[in-house]
Amino acid sequence: MSTKKPKSISSHDQDVIHKPSKDFSAKARIPSMAAYRKLYKASIEKPEKFWAKEASELLWQKKWSKVLNWKAPNATWFDGGKLNVCENCVDRHAAGPRKNKAAIIWEGEPGDKRIITYGQLHKEVCRFANVLQKNGVKAKDRVLIYMPMVPEAVIAMLACARIGAVHTVVFGGFASEAIVDRLEDSGAHVVITADGGWRRGKVVPLKPVVDEALVKYQKVSHVIVLNRCGNEVAMTTDRDTWWHDEMVNVSAKHEAKAFDAEHPLFVLYTSGSTGKPKGILHTSGGYLTGVHTTCKYIFDMRDEDIYWCTADVGWITGHSYIVYGPLAMGATQVMYEGAPNFPDFGRFWKMIEEYGVTIFYTAPTAIRAFIKAGDSFPKAQDLSSLRLLGSVGEPINPEAWSWYHQKIGGGKCPIVDTWWQTETGAILISPLPGATPCKAGTATLPFFGIDAAILDDAGNECKAGQDGRLVIRKPWPSMARSIYGDKERYKKTYWSDYPGIYTAGDGARRHKDGNFWIIGRLDDVLNVSGHRLGTAEIESALVSHAAVAEAAVIGRPHEMKGQAVAAFVTLKGSFQESPELRKELIGHVGKVIGAIAKPDDLHFAIGLPKTRSGKIMRRLLKELVCHGTVTGNVTTLEDFTVIEALQKTIQQSVAHHQ
Ligand code: WTA
């Protein structure tokens, strides 16, 4: 068990308890710890009763006959029930008093603005559902979406949900190989994309990346392309059509047919400890119940709120807390296309002032970048509309927490530090803003119905303060149902450490007060700027280059990104180390996976430290990079001279950078 301490905790920050204000609590759905404890106890004693009550706030075309069937690791929730997820997110609001309420207030990076009401969203989604059906897309077909942060990305996702098709959204920063992998694994034959998107004042081309992927994967019959930036793109006859051409010839009416509660809703790929990302499969009724319930209690979302989650729809946070959760709640939300620092670091704060944002949900890595940019940016804006702040994606270091609390929240907004994962679908550990006393750096307590615990290797519950593995001991509605097409891998990855118990892959400890402190990943997964990356994925990208014989990748602490990627490579005999080759290899990872995976450091090595059975000892590389030397147990190491040589290489590269 790792004994890492959360980074840079000053005892001062860590110990201050921030209680919600009386005013906030008085208006909150859960107004006190007593109310939390009472409902939590009931929800753990009778989870099915709790979740059934929450699920009944959604619109079901047919009510379920059984809340939960559970035979670990297989869960079905709300069996016999039928619903349409899109109808829940759009039609039921468009049909009532929210018809002319803004669903999405969107701003493009260049400054263009659009407001889409629930009534308008309904029409657009119906039209696009008709487009998909006209193009032969049927229930359960997979549709790959590769788009910038524009309302059409949301419309495309909802239209898939409406017709029962399964979307698989690929983050716009991924490269063509990543698209090929996801097309091959999901078997999608329709792709929805755009010519490009705006990022830091430039057009990031998307359609050309899709074209490159489709040379390798030829089973895609149709590509629908949104004209966002007007950059020149090639259109292949009989395969590619423009979004706007498709939309003019279809009706704005479309019946939302009901699907089974367990109908697949989406597959979202995420990194694990092997070279290939896993397609996490989520289904309909349970997932929607999870995201709706958490929006209701954790963000305490109200009709008057202006909510803004700065994630990208390409990640789970975008799926759950831009698309399905807030829209199921009938919320008004801000959506932004571009970079937080364009044209400068004041962009977010200007938008908060302009739209009167009340709930703001972002990532610690962004907060750290804002701290570095200086206080003058938030100071220049009136942020008094904010009432609640949220954090997600990685542990928030106390300095970032305090800055966020003071400079953005004006010392008055509770911060919900939300712990969850692609696999969990919805937030599982978080403060409730009107009830939970917060401390910088802890995600605090489990959400209703979530039986979270920390176990040691033998499966015993850890004592207060002792590090262990974070697990969930009871099923919950928004849990992943499988890894797409690979139930065995699903079982092995998440459910085999302890029988019948979900292992999250995170290390954590619980303090005497019951608060959960997340330490970080225990597996070979890195968290770079809140993005999940597998070390094996980056290694396999490196060895796909002609010059590379072997590669090992580790994470090292990084002030801004949380973790940085450090790579070690050995070269094939005919290749020579050179700064040019280093640059080329780093660029190669960018080409294969995407810029987010590019190694920050790349060391050439004459050999990698291995066990006698040939396993690379990444632990030693980590020690070398973090401490400059190896102190741990090296008895299993096959050849110690490798370590000595690496030590020199690292010292030289440090000297070179100074
Ligand atoms: C990490 C993102 C500490 C964790 C929603 C988890 C966090 C991984 C937090 C999932 C948090 C997420 N505090 N760590 N509040 N939130 N993590 O699948 O290591 O992209 O396992 O989902 O992010 O990343 P994913």
Side-chain angles (χ1 to χ4, degrees):
M1 190 58 253
S2 134
T3 50
K4 277 185 282 178
K5 296 259 178 307
K7 284 189 306 283
S8 53
I9 290 183
S10 78
S11 58
H12 171 73
D13 291 326
Q14 194 180 357
D15 294 341
V16 180
I17 296 172
H18 301 266
K19 285 198 175 148
S21 71
K22 282 208 176 76
D23 192 39
F24 194 105
S25 296
K27 292 183 195 139
R29 288 187 175 94
I30 304 294
S32 65
M33 278 308 279
Y36 162 75
R37 280 198 203 97
K38 190 167 165 219
L39 191 50
Y40 181 74
K41 186 164 179 277
S43 74
I44 290 296
E45 282 168 1
K46 293 195 173 144
E48 293 169 42
K49 191 173 166 206
F50 171 79
W51 290 116
K53 184 161 176 281
E54 292 301 327
S56 64
E57 291 189 13
L58 301 176
L59 183 65
W60 294 83
Q61 293 191 26
K62 183 168 171 256
K63 201 174 168 192
W64 59 86
S65 47
K66 186 139 196 263
V67 178
L68 170 67
N69 284 307
W70 174 234
K71 192 167 177 294
N74 300 316
T76 57
W77 284 88
F78 310 114
D79 256 354
K82 281 182 186 286
L83 81 169
N84 185 295
V85 169
C86 178
E87 182 182 31
N88 270 279
C89 294
V90 183
D91 302 41
R92 63 174 176 150
H93 311 307
R98 294 190 183 119
K99 181 172 184 213
N100 291 317
K101 183 185 176 188
I104 300 173
I105 302 173
W106 177 82
E107 210 173 281
E109 197 189 70
D112 40 342
K113 293 170 190 181
R114 287 160 72 188
I115 293 179
I116 300 171
T117 64
Y118 275 98
Q120 290 165 331
L121 185 62
H122 180 239
K123 287 201 179 104
E124 293 297 297
V125 169
C126 285
R127 277 200 191 97
F128 201 66
N130 282 321
V131 167
L132 290 174
Q133 283 180 324
K134 216 181 86 192
N135 281 291
V137 180
K138 296 189 189 61
K140 292 197 178 166
D141 283 355
R142 277 78 58 211
V143 173
L144 187 136
I145 300 177
Y146 183 66
M147 292 190 93
M149 280 287 289
V150 290
E152 283 77 4
V154 179
I155 291 165
M157 291 164 78
L158 290 168
C160 286
R162 191 173 188 89
I163 64 168
V166 181
H167 57 69
T168 181
V169 183
V170 179
F171 172 58
F174 279 123
S176 71
E177 297 267 340
I179 299 180
V180 174
D181 284 349
R182 285 151 176 80
L183 284 169
E184 273 171 358
D185 191 77
S186 68
H189 60 86
V190 170
V191 173
I192 304 164
T193 188
D195 46 5
W198 288 98
R199 189 97 191 155
R200 285 198 188 90
K202 290 202 187 87
V203 174
V204 176
L206 295 173
K207 172 66 164 58
V209 184
V210 170
D211 287 340
E212 214 180 299
L214 298 194
V215 172
K216 288 209 180 142
Y217 180 85
Q218 302 198 331
K219 291 185 195 148
V220 168
S221 57
H222 204 113
V223 182
I224 301 173
V225 189
L226 178 79
N227 178 351
R228 162 68 189 134
C229 298
N231 50 311
E232 205 163 310
V233 294
M235 296 291 276
T236 301
T237 324
D238 299 333
R239 191 196 69 189
D240 306 350
T241 52
W242 289 103
W243 176 290
H244 55 267
D245 287 338
E246 293 276 5
M247 291 289 262
V248 285
N249 295 321
V250 287
S251 157
K253 291 205 168 64
H254 182 275
E255 189 197 345
K257 289 217 167 77
F259 293 96
D260 288 340
E262 283 295 338
H263 189 87
L265 180 63
F266 64 84
V267 173
L268 183 60
Y269 287 83
T270 191
S271 298
S273 40
T274 64
K276 290 265 177 230
K278 307 171 279 197
I280 302 299
L281 174 71
H282 282 285
T283 59
S284 303
Y287 172 79
L288 199 64
T289 302
V291 295
H292 181 266
T293 311
T294 46
C295 278
K296 193 175 91 180
Y297 291 115
I298 297 172
F299 295 117
D300 202 27
M301 233 175 241
R302 308 285 171 163
D303 252 331
E304 326 63 273
D305 275 316
I306 309 287
Y307 163 85
W308 184 11
C309 165
T310 68
D312 191 284
V313 288
W315 307 113
I316 191 68
T317 308
H319 282 59
S320 300
Y321 297 106
I322 293 177
V323 183
Y324 294 108
L327 295 178
M329 289 289 291
T332 293
Q333 69 177 312
V334 171
M335 183 178 180
Y336 170 57
E337 177 187 32
N341 59 348
F342 188 85
D344 59 38
F345 275 100
R347 185 64 181 261
F348 278 11
W349 323 128
K350 282 197 186 104
M351 286 178 62
I352 289 176
E353 177 174 337
E354 170 153 1
Y355 302 115
V357 172
T358 57
I359 306 173
F360 182 65
Y361 190 30
T362 196
T365 184
I367 298 168
R368 290 192 294 268
F370 290 126
I371 297 176
K372 199 167 171 214
D375 296 354
S376 61
F377 292 106
K379 242 192 203 152
Q381 254 44 68
D382 177 2
L383 304 179
S384 59
S385 58
L386 288 169
R387 67 179 193 91
L388 175 60
L389 301 173
S391 169
V392 60
E394 53 176 313
I396 176 164
N397 50 306
E399 285 72 13
W401 197 101
S402 299
W403 187 88
Y404 197 29
H405 188 244
Q406 287 305 320
K407 309 288 170 179
I408 305 305
K412 71 173 170 52
C413 302
I415 298 180
V416 288
D417 175 359
T418 61
W419 176 86
W420 60 296
Q421 308 176 293
T422 306
E423 294 86 342
T424 69
I427 299 165
L428 299 196
I429 302 179
S430 168
L432 294 178
T436 319
C438 293
K439 267 189 202 174
T442 166
T444 71
L445 299 165
F447 186 65
F448 302 127
I450 303 303
D451 186 12
I454 297 166
L455 303 184
D456 65 16
D457 290 348
N460 303 313
E461 201 158 348
C462 290
K463 291 188 194 74
Q466 187 192 341
D467 290 359
R469 290 169 200 275
L470 179 57
V471 300
I472 313 295
R473 295 183 290 204
K474 279 191 175 64
W476 65 100
S478 66
M479 62 197 262
R481 298 300 192 262
S482 185
I483 290 176
Y484 188 70
D486 200 345
K487 198 90 204 196
E488 264 316 298
R489 189 173 167 204
Y490 173 70
K491 198 170 158 185
K492 194 162 164 265
T493 312
Y494 304 109
W495 298 92
S496 59
D497 286 359
Y498 313 101
I501 289 178
Y502 174 81
T503 324
D506 277 337
R509 79 176 75 94
R510 216 172 170 175
H511 285 183
K512 268 202 200 99
D513 54 11
N515 283 336
F516 282 79
W517 291 77
I518 314 295
I519 304 165
R521 302 288 310 185
L522 295 171
D523 51 12
D524 295 324
V525 173
L526 306 182
N527 194 330
V528 179
S529 300
H531 302 320
R532 249 172 96 165
L533 294 168
T535 50
E537 265 173 85
I538 306 174
E539 288 164 2
S540 103
L542 283 165
V543 293
S544 74
H545 189 282
V548 178
E550 273 191 311
V553 165
I554 55 151
R556 67 165 170 84
H558 187 277
E559 203 191 331
M560 303 298 284
K561 300 177 171 186
Q563 273 188 309
V565 179
F568 292 83
V569 295
T570 59
L571 295 177
K572 287 184 187 154
S574 53
F575 290 87
Q576 291 289 320
E577 294 176 13
S578 71
E580 292 72 35
L581 183 59
R582 174 179 290 119
K583 219 170 138 195
E584 189 178 319
L585 293 179
I586 292 173
H588 181 72
V589 175
K591 270 194 217 127
V592 175
I593 305 176
I596 49 167
K598 279 186 186 176
D600 297 86
D601 326 317
L602 188 138
H603 304 286
F604 291 113
I606 48 153
L608 297 173
K610 289 187 187 163
T611 60
R612 285 184 193 100
S613 59
K615 243 183 128 191
I616 297 172
M617 296 175 79
R618 289 187 187 75
R619 172 178 64 83
L620 299 186
L621 293 173
K622 205 163 180 150
E623 272 194 52
L624 272 177
V625 165
C626 299
H627 310 295
T629 171
V630 169
T631 51
N633 184 349
V634 288
T635 47
T636 50
L637 186 65
E638 184 220 23
D639 177 4
F640 194 78
T641 59
V642 165
I643 291 287
E644 287 168 344
L646 280 171
Q647 212 160 354
K648 266 196 206 125
T649 313
I650 289 169
Q651 277 160 3
Q652 274 161 10
S653 96
V654 171
H656 179 76
H657 284 109
Q658 275 166 355

